[in-house]
Amino acid sequence: QVQLVESGGGLVQAGGSLRLSCAASGSIFSINTMAWYRQAPGKERELVATSTSGGSTNYADSVKGRFTISRDNAKNTMYLQMNSVKPEDAAVYLCNAAVKQKSYSPYRIYWGKGALVTVSS
């Protein structure tokens, strides 16, 4: 069993900063790609940023230059530093991870339950 838990959400003023964390725990052999998604009310889930175990990162155009994804592989934890936050960034932010529980098992995708980010203008 693997659990992903997001933290760090809350209320932020437009133009401000916030840092989200996603901690993976449980029976983990290795983690490959980790990603942040977000979903605003009435909108489809949107990919925000991804990070591979090799260090490659990718961002949605809407957050490039403002958000930074990072991870601490030793702690099985991923972060999303959100700077210059805009009202349109308000959403529930969810993390997911491709996790291998044993050396011989395939990677399986796990999701967290989400962290709410509210932006005041």
Side-chain angles (χ1 to χ4, degrees), residues 26-57:
S27 178
I28 297 172
F29 176 78
S30 67
I31 300 177
N32 193 348
T33 300
M34 300 184 79
W36 286 101
Y37 285 76
R38 66 186 181 187
Q39 188 163 20
K43 294 189 176 181
E44 292 188 355
R45 187 169 294 184
E46 172 190 22
L47 177 62
V48 176
T50 62
S51 171
T52 69
S53 57
S56 297
T57 58

Side-chain angles (χ1 to χ4, degrees), residues 41-94:
K43 294 189 176 181
E44 292 188 355
R45 187 169 294 184
E46 172 190 22
L47 177 62
V48 176
T50 62
S51 171
T52 69
S53 57
S56 297
T57 58
N58 278 290
Y59 298 91
D61 288 343
S62 58
V63 306
K64 274 182 185 175
R66 300 188 298 119
F67 291 9
T68 301
I69 188 172
S70 61
R71 56 195 281 181
D72 183 335
N73 291 326
K75 295 182 179 179
N76 290 332
T77 300
M78 173 178 65
Y79 306 96
L80 185 69
Q81 178 66 44
M82 305 168 60
N83 296 331
S84 303
V85 173
K86 301 178 180 180
E88 53 263 41
D89 294 324
V92 173
Y93 283 73
L94 306 104

Side-chain angles (χ1 to χ4, degrees), residues 29 99-108:
F29 176 78
V99 179
K100 179 180 288 206
Q101 290 194 266
K102 297 187 184 299
S103 61
Y104 51 82
S105 61
Y107 283 101
R108 180 182 171 187

